[in-house]
Amino acid sequence: MKDSEENKKNTLKTEFIFQIGFIVFVLLGAFMKEISWVFWIFACICALCWVVFVQKEKVKEEKEKKAEKEKKAEKEAP
């Protein structure tokens, strides 16, 4: 139970970092005219990493739920 809570906190921290990175790079790209393309590329990279990370976490959660259901089914069926 404790590990699950720590994993959720770490997941939220990582997702928050990707969100902040995306916002920062978008704002830098909007205000820095000479090298804005660099910041737009970094913003796209942050967005892609964020999406991939969220998808991996969803798959992990589904596997955990499936494992819990199987454990319950094993306990109920003697």
Side-chain angles (χ1 to χ4, degrees):
M1 194 76 157
K2 197 172 191 180
D3 292 334
S4 174
E5 291 174 11
E6 286 183 26
N7 285 343
K8 283 186 179 183
K9 286 181 182 178
N10 288 338
T11 300
L12 289 175
K13 284 182 187 177
T14 305
E15 191 173 347
F16 183 69
I17 289 170
F18 284 131
Q19 291 171 351
I20 294 299
F22 176 75
I23 291 169
V24 167
F25 287 130
V26 165
L27 290 175
L28 286 172
F31 292 115
M32 300 274 187
K33 300 299 178 191
E34 296 85 26
I35 55 170
S36 66
W37 60 274
V38 173
F39 295 118
W40 288 113
I41 290 172
F42 286 145
C44 290
I45 291 170
C46 274
L48 288 173
C49 291
W50 180 21
V51 168
V52 169
F53 178 77
V54 168
Q55 290 299 322
K56 283 184 179 180
E57 289 300 315
K58 283 183 181 179
V59 169
K60 193 184 297 183
E61 285 180 11
E62 288 176 4
K63 286 182 181 179
E64 289 174 358
K65 286 180 182 178
K66 188 176 180 181
E68 287 178 14
K69 285 182 181 179
E70 289 176 357
K71 285 183 182 179
K72 284 184 181 179
E74 287 176 5
K75 287 182 181 179
E76 291 176 359

